[in-house]
Amino acid sequence: VECSARVNKNDDRTRGGGAIAAKNVNSLMVSNCTFSACDTLTTGGAVFAKIMDGTSMTVNNSIFRNDSCKGQGGGIGVYQVTENAKTTAQLTVNGCKFENCSSGTQNGSGGAIQSYLPCMSLQNSEFADCWAGKEGGGINNFFGANYTEQWNGSFMTISGCEFTRCRAEDRFQVD
């Protein structure tokens, strides 16, 4: 997908992706795109993807600016179709910029990126002024306890990335 999306909004509380919603896909490649002021009430302010087990989502040389959601993943929210699958799905982000992306409710996580995949690789990307209401102001990679027992091959690699003024507020926590 090569694109430019501005001021897109998804008000459907059951669906994600202010600009792109890709569900049950074998792979998704997003290259040289700009997402600006995209918004959703759920997951993936700009892009929501639910990818098949054993496949991948790749985002190259794209800009995410002022994208937001009320749930998880202000810029990108990605899931694997089957949680208990024996194969792994992977998110790769390379050469991207995330500026002022947010997931802003009490359970908001992954200001720029929320991933529920066992494998994630981030390379040469910039994260500036991204925030989350709860955790992972820049990135939140949630990989459940069940996965750890199933795969020894899960990984998260971050290389050549810059994080500036990203924050997770957790201001809604009740003691």
Side-chain angles (χ1 to χ4, degrees):
V1 175
E2 291 193 21
C3 60
S4 180
R6 287 185 169 179
V7 193
N8 290 301
K9 189 168 186 160
N10 180 348
D11 285 335
D12 187 335
R13 293 186 184 278
T14 63
R15 293 180 167 78
I20 297 172
K23 296 180 181 176
N24 303 328
V25 295
N26 285 325
S27 69
L28 177 62
M29 162 100 41
V30 177
S31 295
N32 303 311
C33 293
T34 299
F35 300 94
S36 188
C38 298
D39 181 63
T40 186
L41 293 174
T42 57
T43 300
V47 179
F48 170 75
K50 197 166 189 180
I51 63 174
M52 301 299 285
D53 309 325
T55 62
S56 65
M57 176 178 172
T58 303
V59 184
N60 290 319
N61 305 314
S62 295
I63 298 170
F64 295 81
R65 183 177 296 124
N66 299 317
D67 300 319
S68 63
C69 69
K70 304 295 184 271
Q72 292 82 33
I76 298 171
V78 60
Y79 293 79
Q80 183 169 327
V81 172
T82 306
E83 286 185 6
N84 296 317
K86 298 288 184 193
T87 58
T88 58
Q90 179 174 335
L91 171 64
T92 301
V93 176
N94 186 27
C96 293
K97 291 184 180 182
F98 295 84
E99 300 170 355
N100 197 37
C101 293
S102 63
S103 57
T105 65
Q106 74 182 53
N107 293 318
S109 59
I113 299 172
Q114 173 65 55
S115 173
Y116 288 93
L117 303 181
C119 302
M120 176 189 267
S121 176
L122 304 172
Q123 303 154 353
N124 306 314
S125 295
E126 298 174 21
F127 300 82
D129 300 306
C130 297
W131 65 275
K134 185 174 182 181
E135 57 195 5
I139 303 164
N140 192 44
N141 188 27
F142 182 80
F143 191 57
N146 292 339
Y147 289 116
T148 306
E149 296 171 11
Q150 293 176 355
W151 296 305
N152 291 326
S154 63
F155 66 86
M156 182 174 177
T157 303
I158 300 172
S159 174
C161 294
E162 183 177 329
F163 296 84
T164 306
R165 295 178 305 276
C166 294
R167 68 187 189 281
E169 296 188 11
D170 202 12
R171 65 177 181 243
F172 301 103
Q173 184 173 352
V174 177
D175 293 330

